[in-house]
Amino acid sequence: MTLPIEVRLLDQRLREQLPAYATPGAAGMDLRACLDAPLTLQPGQAELIPTGLSIHVADPGYAALILPRSGLGHKHGIVLGNLVGLIDSDYQGPLMVSCWNRGTQAYAVQPLERIAQLVIVPVMQAQWTVVESFTPSHRGEGGFGSTGRG
Ligand SMILES: O=c1ccn([C@H]2C[C@H](O)[C@@H](COP(=O)(O)OP(=O)(O)OP(=O)(O)O)O2)c(=O)[nH]1
Ligand SMILES: [Mg+2]
């Protein structure tokens, strides 16, 4: 399923490199670091990196998530400073990626390197019904390992 989403290119280099699904079954589109020069992240350092894009999801029934790329995260320790980025449907500002080097080696992010991925997901907004007690469920209040370890 596809969803039309308006996108503004804030960096003209993206005209040739608009985020795209790499395979027919891809869930995410890679986002690039719109840098003018390499940016070295020392171990423990996090920096906000522009993607050169703004998007307007517009429909409150959807949101965009920014997720780490598996290879960068596993091999180089480059993940997201906010763990997951949530892009509200009414956000129109520049898409930024908080790049965090959680590893032990410095990592130089290159201009236009693919640093994270964007996934569009359906969203429901809750409408609260305030109650005094819930209809009993099988689990009840048990959590945090209540079903055992293995
Ligand atoms: O990785 C991210 C996360 C968020 N955003 C933008 C889009 C999002 O809609 C907005 C606000 O994000 P969030 O609500 O997570 O941050 P906040 O700290 O609560 O800021 P605000 O007070 O603006 O809601 O910032 C990004 O560009 N990249
Ligand atoms: Mg917020």
Side-chain angles (χ1 to χ4, degrees), residues 49-124:
I49 299 182
T51 64
L53 298 172
S54 52
I55 66 171
H56 184 206
V57 173
D59 183 338
Y62 296 90
L65 298 179
I66 299 179
L67 301 176
R69 291 186 66 209
S70 308
L72 271 186
H74 181 69
K75 292 185 206 149
H76 302 288
I78 301 299
V79 293
L80 305 177
N82 49 354
L83 305 188
V84 174
L86 174 60
I87 313 304
D88 298 286
S89 68
D90 53 357
Y91 180 71
Q92 298 182 322
L95 274 193
M96 305 293 289
V97 173
S98 171
C99 250
W100 173 34
N101 183 353
R102 62 152 187 83
T104 54
Q105 307 287 319
Y107 185 88
V109 180
Q110 301 300 320
L112 297 180
E113 179 173 353
R114 292 173 295 141
I115 49 171
Q117 52 187 330
L118 187 76
V119 178
I120 307 299
V121 292
V123 165
M124 297 273 229

